[in-house]
Amino acid sequence: MPRKNNRKDNDTGLDEEKARRGVERVVSTPDGQWLLRNIPVTGAVKTYRCPGCDHEIGPGVAHVVAWPADERGDLADRRHWHTACWNSRDRRRPRR
Ligand SMILES: [Zn+2]
């Protein structure tokens, strides 16, 4: 009996495994693919340092978490960014 692969290609590019890890989006940038997750106000309970501006992200601040997709989404590599810093990340980089 042939095995049927029912996995759908959904438009977010997420597979089930990533979804289980809390990945909400996959973005492609000049330096590779990133997995992204939005942290809502209620989910922000610690203080993180944003690599975009080198300032702290305090508790209660909605932000995003990004980690490189090519490291198998290793959670140890997650970076917490201010949403605005993440969004302006591309703009700051030289584009060709
Ligand atoms: Zn920042």
Side-chain angles (χ1 to χ4, degrees):
M1 214 193 235
R3 273 248 226 100
K4 227 187 195 169
N5 189 351
N6 269 336
R7 181 170 290 184
K8 290 184 263 177
D9 277 337
N10 58 30
D11 26 22
T12 57
L14 294 179
D15 58 34
E16 283 173 25
E17 196 202 338
K18 289 195 186 74
R20 217 178 304 128
R21 287 199 199 111
V23 177
E24 290 169 354
R25 263 185 299 159
V26 179
V27 293
S28 294
T29 67
D31 49 345
Q33 273 208 324
W34 294 79
L35 308 180
L36 266 201
R37 181 179 179 186
N38 290 299
I39 306 295
V41 170
T42 51
V45 292
K46 283 170 37 178
T47 298
Y48 304 98
R49 186 165 294 273
C50 169
C53 63
D54 205 31
H55 286 277
E56 288 183 347
I57 304 170
V61 177
H63 61 277
V64 299
V65 179
W67 64 104
D70 55 3
E71 313 228 335
R72 291 161 312 185
D74 190 346
L75 295 186
D77 253 357
R78 287 191 297 181
R79 296 285 144 73
H80 293 253
W81 293 73
H82 292 112
T83 305
C85 292
W86 173 263
N87 288 339
S88 63
R89 181 172 166 274
D90 279 350
R91 255 176 277 144
R92 280 201 212 159
R93 307 179 77 88
R95 278 206 182 203
R96 315 215 97 225

